[in-house]
Amino acid sequence: MRAAVMWGPGKPFEVQEIEIAAPGPGEVAVDLHSCGVCASDLSLTTAFGQPTPVVLGHEGAGVVAAVGAGVTTVGVGEHVVLVWVPPCGRCAPCRRGDDYLCANRRSSADARAGKAARPSPLSVDGTAIHQGMATSTFAERTVVPANAVVRIDDDVPFPVAAMMGCAVPTGVGAALRSARVRPGDNVAVIGCGAVGLNAVMGAVVAGAARVVAIDPLPERRALAETVGATESAAPEHLAELRDLDIVIDAVGAPATVTGAWKAVRRGGTVTVVGAGRPDQVVEINAYELFHDDKRLTGSFHGGISMHRDLPILVGLWRTGRLPIEHLIDSTADLSRINEVVAAQQSGAALRILLSPRS
C-alpha cells in the first residue's frame, strides 16, 4: 500500500509502497478515505521525541476492511473515525469518565524512554516503520486496536468525518467541556487555526453572548466571523478587550498564555488547548493568582470522550450548528502531502484533506 513515510526528524514525507500486516486479535484494519494534517503531526518528531522512520497522521476516517479475532464492536464495511486517544476502560481516568486521559495510552515520553509497545504492523523491506500517534492515517490503510475506532453514520462525508477525529472535538470540547462556556459569557479565542475555529463554534453552541476571534491573519479573522464569532481582532488588540469571562488559547505559547491571563477578568478562566513545547515555561504572578481568583486550565483533546461524544458532535453538524465544511479548503491526493504541509504552514490554507485512496 502507499504511505507517506518520514525517514528522519522534520524531513519531507516520501510517499512510497510499504507493507502492512493483517489485523491480529483485538485489532481492525481500516481503509483510509480522508485524513487531515494537524500541526501536532509536524512537531511530533522534532519537539516530542517520536522515533523515525514513521508514518504520521492521527486525524482520519475510512471503512473497516478486516477485523481480527475477538472484535465485536465494529464490522467490515462500517464507516469509522480513528481515535488517537483510545481508552482502555480499566484505569482510574477511564472509570471516572475521563477516558481521553487514559493512563494506558502510550505517550511520546514513553517512546523517548524506549518503553515497549505493540509491534508496528508497518514495514519496508523488513525495516519496522513506527506508527505515529498509534494511528498512522497518512496511508491507504492502517491497523489499530479496536478501541481506536468509533463508528460514524455512513452519510457523513469522509472529509467532515476526518475532521471529527481531532480538530472538531479538540476545539469544540475546549469550549464546552474544558472551559465550560455558559450562556451569556464573553469569550475570546486566541489563534484561528482549525482547533481555534472549532473553539469559536463551540462557544457559539454554548450560548456565549460575545465571541471574539484573535488572529494575525485577516482572512482567518473573517472566517471566524463566518462560523459565528461576533467580532475579531489582531493579537495586539487583545489587551484592549474588557470583561472577558473566558479566554481560550489555541496557540499554547508562553506569550499567548500570559496575554490571555492578563486579558481575562477577575474571577475568569483561561483554558489552554494549544500544544506548547516541552521546554516552554509560563510564569504567573502568585499574588495575582490568589487575589484575582483567576483560573488557568489545560484542555487535552478538548476533554472529549470520542466513544461517548462523537454522536453529539455529528448531531450538531447535522443541524448546522457546527459548519465544519467552512473549514475545509479542498482535498488532495496523498502524493501531494508536502505541498499540503507547505500551504498550511504558510497560512495559505487552513485544512486541505488528503485522500489516500483517490
Side-chain angles (χ1 to χ4, degrees), residues 80-102:
V80 293
V81 173
L82 273 292
V83 180
W84 58 273
V85 282
C88 73
R90 304 182 305 274
C91 67
C94 284
R95 291 198 305 272
R96 65 174 177 251
D98 300 333
D99 60 25
Y100 59 95
L101 296 175
C102 178

Side-chain angles (χ1 to χ4, degrees), residues 237-283:
H237 297 299
L238 175 62
E240 300 169 13
L241 301 177
R242 296 290 180 268
D243 300 319
L244 292 174
D245 301 295
I246 293 171
V247 179
I248 298 172
D249 178 10
V251 178
T256 55
V257 175
T258 54
W261 182 259
K262 292 176 182 177
V264 76
R265 67 165 174 81
R266 191 178 183 196
T269 297
V270 173
T271 295
V272 180
V273 68
R277 295 174 60 94
D279 59 347
Q280 292 179 320
V281 176
V282 176
E283 293 186 355

Side-chain angles (χ1 to χ4, degrees), residues 36-60:
V37 180
C38 185
S40 57
D41 287 316
L42 306 178
S43 59
L44 274 178
T45 62
T46 53
F48 297 104
Q50 166 65 54
T52 56
V54 61
V55 174
L56 295 170
H58 64 279
E59 188 179 79

